[in-house]
Amino acid sequence: MREIFDALLRLFPYFGNYPQSVQIAIWDMAYNLGVNGLKNKFPSFCQAVRDEDWETAAAESHRADPGEERNEFVFNLFMDAMVP
């Protein structure tokens, strides 16, 4: 787990400052894809996260493997971050 966290911090230096729902969503994606898979297969998603553009991150978070229910769960986590 520590290796994943350290890799996420290298990819997203402000990870710890993101809303909790965003952190959970990113962990889910990193667990599913691996941090390198996340970085290499989802560059637009990663840029949206670095820009703290949660709406775009939500739209870019759809994956082929985990199924629609899990994709919807992650999408909603990003959308929750937009609620003040």
Side-chain angles (χ1 to χ4, degrees):
M1 282 294 211
R2 183 63 193 198
E3 289 176 18
I4 295 172
F5 182 71
D6 289 344
L8 284 174
L9 283 176
R10 285 190 297 277
L11 186 59
F12 307 118
Y14 299 103
F15 179 82
N17 295 331
Y18 297 157
Q20 185 175 18
S21 63
V22 168
Q23 291 181 33
I24 293 167
I26 294 170
W27 268 106
D28 184 87
M29 292 188 69
Y31 177 80
N32 178 240
L33 299 163
V35 176
N36 284 333
L38 182 62
K39 180 172 80 173
N40 296 326
K41 295 177 184 176
F42 290 81
S44 297
F45 166 83
C46 291
Q47 187 59 54
V49 169
R50 283 191 289 275
D51 293 342
E52 298 186 28
D53 178 354
W54 309 135
E55 186 172 11
T56 300
E60 294 289 334
S61 69
H62 191 273
R63 296 158 285 168
D65 293 334
E68 200 52 44
E69 186 175 308
R70 192 157 161 201
N71 277 318
E72 187 175 326
F73 171 71
V74 168
F75 178 90
N76 288 333
L77 286 169
F78 281 107
M79 297 307 286
D80 287 349
M82 294 176 50
V83 178

